[in-house]
Amino acid sequence: MDDMPNMSPPPKGDLTNTTYGTMMMSSSLTWGKDVIILFPKWPNNNLSMYVLALFLIFLLAVAVEVLSVLPKHRPAAKPYLSLLGQTGVHSFRTGLAYLVMLSVMSFNIGILIAAVAGHALGFFIVKVRDHGQHPDSPEPKV
């Protein structure tokens, strides 16, 4: 039983687990560039990499919303090919959505704001595009 590592929680404020040498994540919202997003050592406390991470999360969230509007299934000579394409787009969108969710689980306020802003912009883009494609209107307004 002496081979078991000490399983007590680290002291308050210390996020380094000295037994295993890994960084532990906070379970409360934090602000700053000192965060791990998706991959170990990324953005690695580097401000420019943190800004890049914010931008990438923003773009991922926009892509999730834009891809959420799949084109309607059109009758074709091979309907299975159309359904296979829709399934591929749906799977890709779901993977992107999970990446955004995992990023937000870093509990970083900047990442949360970037994800919400990206979803908002993506939703706006989709609704503006849909607004211009009503059958009543003779030509698209956007």
Side-chain angles (χ1 to χ4, degrees):
M1 294 276 179
D2 291 335
D3 296 336
M4 297 286 294
N6 184 5
M7 299 305 282
S8 62
K12 192 167 186 125
D14 182 17
L15 295 179
T16 305
N17 183 342
T18 55
T19 305
Y20 299 107
T22 59
M23 179 98 173
M24 295 172 49
M25 298 188 66
S26 173
S27 61
S28 61
L29 290 174
T30 59
W31 187 267
K33 63 181 177 46
D34 304 329
V35 65
I36 297 173
I37 305 168
L38 295 178
F39 307 107
K41 298 187 179 187
W42 190 64
N44 203 18
N45 301 333
N46 184 337
L47 182 61
S48 59
M49 293 301 287
Y50 177 69
V51 171
L52 177 65
L54 292 175
F55 185 67
L56 286 175
I57 299 305
F58 177 80
L59 288 180
L60 283 175
V62 169
V64 166
E65 291 297 326
V66 170
L67 291 174
S68 68
V69 181
L70 294 174
K72 301 285 188 258
H73 174 68
R74 289 181 237 144
K78 299 187 179 191
Y80 289 108
L81 289 178
S82 175
L83 290 173
L84 186 62
Q86 285 182 346
T87 301
V89 171
H90 175 76
S91 299
F92 182 69
R93 180 184 65 86
T94 303
L96 293 180
Y98 277 123
L99 286 176
V100 172
M101 178 200 62
L102 287 172
S103 300
V104 170
M105 287 177 62
S106 69
F107 294 103
N108 184 275
I109 296 172
I111 296 295
L112 175 66
I113 291 171
V116 170
H119 281 294
L121 179 65
F123 181 82
F124 181 76
I125 290 170
V126 166
K127 289 302 174 183
V128 164
R129 189 175 63 184
D130 285 348
H131 181 70
Q133 294 179 353
H134 284 294
D136 303 344
S137 62
E139 58 188 56
K141 297 178 185 176
V142 178

